[in-house]
Amino acid sequence: MRNTLVLNASYEPLTTVSLKRAVVLVLQDKAVVEHAHPLGMVRGTGIAVPVPRVIRLQRYVRVPFRQRAPWSRRGVLVRDQHLCAYCGRRATTVDHLQPRSRGGADSWLNTVAACAEDNQRKADRTPEQAGMKLLRRPFEPTPEATLMLALGLRGSEMRELAPWLPAVA
Ligand SMILES: [Zn+2]
């Protein structure tokens, strides 16, 4: 359930997030509670936070809603949830489908997360040439995913991003 509204530092509505995500942002001092539910508190180890209905980011976040999200290696790993596009195991590298040495671009549609082993095995070839099958097709991240990137969320927090991403082909 995404039922907490997130405002930018400028009070402009940005998106909605889960209650858990909202509380984490508040506890990390990334956001303040603007409106809380009149009843109830969220309780954790040694903490109690009012149930936030609206939170506001402490820092202004520039969100390229109408632009394409800028490509980055980290962005590709996050988009692919750190899972290798070829074998599904943990990925730490970014593979260019059309290799850069052959004019392949640093773009969302030309790059996938890959484990070091598969990246090395594929080398300077396309997946077809290497006889390697993609488990999913690369895509451009949604504005919501771009926002989460801009908020600097990482690691296990990124798993919450999964429902926000387009369905895997
Ligand atoms: Zn792999």
Side-chain angles (χ1 to χ4, degrees), residues 2 6 18 21 25 43 46 53 57 60 67 84 92-93 95 98-99 101 107 125 130 132-133 143 152 155-156:
R2 291 166 54 182
V6 181
S18 69
R21 160 63 41 221
L25 287 170
R43 287 176 202 287
R53 285 185 143 170
L57 298 177
Y60 181 77
Q67 296 168 21
C84 177
T92 54
T93 69
D95 176 58
Q98 177 73 30
S101 59
S107 71
R125 298 175 293 181
M132 293 166 72
K133 216 172 143 76
S156 60

Side-chain angles (χ1 to χ4, degrees), residues 39-103:
L39 306 166
M41 303 282 275
V42 185
R43 287 176 202 287
T45 36
I47 53 141
V49 178
V51 177
R53 285 185 143 170
V54 181
I55 60 172
R56 184 169 58 86
L57 298 177
Q58 299 268 42
R59 273 199 344 207
Y60 181 77
V61 171
R62 188 176 294 278
V63 186
F65 272 114
R66 304 195 188 287
Q67 296 168 21
R68 298 162 74 182
W71 180 90
S72 68
R73 281 175 186 276
R74 182 167 165 253
V76 172
L77 290 172
V78 170
R79 179 198 66 185
D80 294 351
Q81 299 172 69
H82 296 267
L83 298 176
C84 177
Y86 300 104
C87 71
R89 286 180 302 169
R90 183 165 173 79
T92 54
T93 69
V94 168
D95 176 58
H96 288 68
L97 301 182
Q98 177 73 30
R100 275 197 298 183
S101 59
R102 299 173 177 221

